[in-house]
Amino acid sequence: MQQQTLQEKRLEKLLREREIIELMVKAFTQSPTEDDKLNTDLAKVTLEHHDRIIRCVKEGKPFIYSYYACAPEIYAAMDLPWYSFLELPFTGALLPTLQEDIDGSDKLFANDLCTIIRVAAYYIEADLVPVPNAIVGLIHPCDGTTILHQLIASNENWRNVPMFAADPPYWDDERSIDYYAGELRRMVSFLEEHTGHRMDMDRLREVIKEGNKQFELWMEYNELRRAVPCPHGYGIGMQMSGVAQGYYVGDPRGTAWLRDLIADAEKLVREKRGKAPKERIRLFWFDVVSLELSFELFPWLEQEWGAVIVMDMFGYCPYTLIDTSNEDAMFRGLAKRALFDEPMIRQARGVAENFLADIRRVIKDYKIDCVVWPGHMGHKDGSASVGLMRETCRELGVPFLHIGMDLFNKRYTSVDEIKNKLSQFFTAMGLG
Amino acid sequence: MIVGGCDIGSATGKAVIMNNGTIVSYTIIPSTTKPELTARMAMDAAIEKAGLSSLGNLGYIVGTGYGRLKVPFANENISEITCHARGAQWLCPTVRTVIDIGGQDCKVTSISDSGKVLEFVMNDRCAAGTGRFFEAMARVLSCGLEGLSTLSLQGKNPAVISSQCSVFAESEVITLVNEGVDLADIVAGLHNSVAGRLNSMVGKVGLVEDVAITGGCAKNEGLVKALEAKLRVKVKRLPEDPQIVGALGAALIAREKLDKKS
């Protein structure tokens, strides 16, 4: 039996995941509904990115690891292959080894650290992911990312990989924006130095302009979700951040995808139809939507309770457009977007009012019946604000539920436990 | 019109029968391993006490509690949170905060002046601070539940018990006993520990007076006193057995349902 090479080991998860996604694409294309078409496009672009990283590893070409929300427009403008630390744990729900990976992560950290961070750390320690040429870290929004940085610094395979992490300001004033714009410029210099890829300002302008189209379309789509019944349920409609700030950043195909999404939603709104069999509860899920919950919990919510996630943390965005008239304006715009638009970051960075403002606005705009803060155990940044969230919802006369769960680890919180709490909540509040 | 409420909890089954807004009878029995059987036994006992001949005499029955889905004769199932709130508010119209300490879980509910549930929190992940906890401690200390309550009121210097988990608290208690700490002080410490946990839960929904305690543990005067000290409010004593409040609330809702049908 041929011994697995180190490269094969480091690519194994990517390759296995790729196989599963490819199967999904085939399944979607066999009996394509409008949803399947949209899902197929997302799956295909995911494959494309996987393939790019795999080629870089095999051919020895530079690529970077990055957290999300680190101005990916810059990567696109530099034509720089990038991979997110948190991607594998998120999409790892597709693999049968997820629980095994979580068990492996339990050996590294206590289980009160975010599971997704722990699993990413486990992949690094177990040498299950390829080593990048450079790393762009993230200091906010959660303490888990900082701990991951520390692990990287102590790992013998990763500690010599150059790392840059932009220093986020606490406040929102002009001086803070200018400061962060400067940090992003430093990031460009860092990437140029360690990857050989060069920044092309004209290309950056093109990327940002395309991104502006996507953000405008995102806003338009979110307007449609205000309709009663909501045209789309959980899942695909909530992945705007992934589209506009992920694989489709600055990509006209992403813009086209958004237009298709809007067309589907418009049709349903005109027909006064929603994806849920019968919408009875309009829910604001104020946190991440994990892949596993999309399979097990959210369909149950819609079918059992007619509860539709009208909006979630990642779907809601202030839709800031970026001025592309000059270089300074572009970097300041990217800084604003990174600080003020990116979900989780914009809520958890700074004061609790950032959380509360979203709650008030979403409740009002989307005719929300109840707010659910899943209370992911890793989101300690938000946990401190739960009391204020309760007060805000009470002032607005909207029931609030704090579940207390792990979005990614069913052993911490079983799906049945979550269902029970939601059922208690709906009936006790007279929603069911 | 005669209606019934049936609350099937993890430790006890309760049934209440009302006629024209008055409690006619109620019963509390230990839960069996089968919720359906518990429900039948509890309701049959209440029917007998009420002088009725059969279930057919009841116009509407609402089930509640963890076993509510297993109440075979219920016309409808309602959350125990709603039922406890309704029952407590009926017994004490001024109540705004209901602390339900059951056999295996605790709930704190904030209600409006009309009895509507505004918010609630629950502890259902472990037995800490529940009836099971006190049963376990009573076994360790070789005294009954009633004795536990009496002893807690006699403690002069309550021992500090940091663990609220049943398992670890038991270990602490054994250590304290071996160190010769006065039994009454140990028991008082246990009650303070539980009260502290409940106080934390109340803080999550916000304390609004008046406060009432429901569930079997509400009969533990030592716990009620300890909780009053922690909350710094006087707890309203309900005029009926606090253990039947959930079933009472269910019966009240059953009456409303029947009224709507008429």
Side-chain angles (χ1 to χ4, degrees), chain A residues 41-208:
Chain A
D41 291 342
L42 293 180
K44 284 181 175 177
V45 76
T46 304
L47 285 179
E48 188 176 295
H49 275 256
H50 275 49
D51 286 344
R52 195 175 188 197
I53 298 298
I54 292 167
R55 282 199 305 274
C56 285
V57 174
K58 290 184 174 180
E59 298 171 10
K61 293 181 178 178
F63 70 98
I64 68 166
Y65 263 58
S66 172
Y67 281 96
Y68 83 111
C70 296
E73 292 88 347
I74 288 171
Y75 309 151
M78 297 178 72
D79 192 31
L80 185 58
W82 65 287
Y83 196 73
S84 172
F85 273 116
L86 307 184
E87 182 172 339
L88 265 180
F90 254 96
T91 56
L94 299 171
L95 300 175
T97 55
L98 178 63
Q99 195 60 59
E100 179 183 313
D101 297 339
I102 293 173
D103 292 344
S105 73
D106 286 342
K107 300 173 184 174
L108 296 175
F109 297 115
N111 65 6
D112 61 350
L113 184 67
C114 177
T115 294
I116 196 167
I117 298 287
R118 293 195 293 123
V119 170
Y122 167 69
Y123 291 154
I124 291 170
E125 282 291 290
D127 221 358
L128 294 173
V129 285
V131 180
N133 298 82
I135 299 166
V136 175
L138 187 71
I139 298 175
H140 58 186
C142 66
D143 58 338
T145 60
T146 303
I147 294 173
L148 184 55
H149 294 158
Q150 293 169 14
L151 180 136
I152 290 169
S154 66
N155 180 278
E156 63 177 348
N157 295 316
W158 287 66
R159 63 186 174 215
N160 292 320
V161 177
M163 179 187 283
F164 177 90
D167 177 30
Y170 191 80
W171 302 110
D172 298 351
D173 55 14
E174 293 300 314
R175 180 167 172 265
S176 298
I177 296 167
D178 288 338
Y179 173 76
Y180 204 66
E183 288 289 279
L184 294 181
R185 287 182 178 276
R186 290 180 58 224
M187 187 175 88
V188 171
S189 299
F190 166 85
L191 293 171
E192 287 183 330
E193 179 185 352
H194 294 288
T195 67
H197 285 242
R198 311 301 298 180
M199 169 58 81
D200 180 335
M201 288 300 166
D202 288 332
R203 175 60 184 150
L204 180 62
R205 181 172 288 105
E206 290 173 18
V207 168
I208 293 175

Side-chain angles (χ1 to χ4, degrees), chain A residues 390 394 412 424 427-429, chain B residues 79 82 119 125 204-205:
Chain A
R390 279 184 199 276
R394 187 178 291 203
Y412 184 98
Q424 293 267 17
T427 56
M429 298 303 175
Chain B
S79 156
T82 301
E119 203 166 358
R125 298 182 71 95
K204 290 183 178 180
V205 301

Side-chain angles (χ1 to χ4, degrees), chain A residues 372-407:
Chain A
V372 174
W373 168 260
H376 175 57
M377 34 65 76
H379 287 164
K380 300 172 183 65
D381 39 89
S383 296
S385 303
V386 169
L388 296 172
M389 295 181 203
R390 279 184 199 276
E391 288 179 16
T392 299
C393 289
R394 187 178 291 203
E395 288 165 7
L396 297 172
V398 175
F400 176 87
L401 175 66
H402 172 200
I403 297 178
M405 63 190 288
D406 187 325
L407 289 165

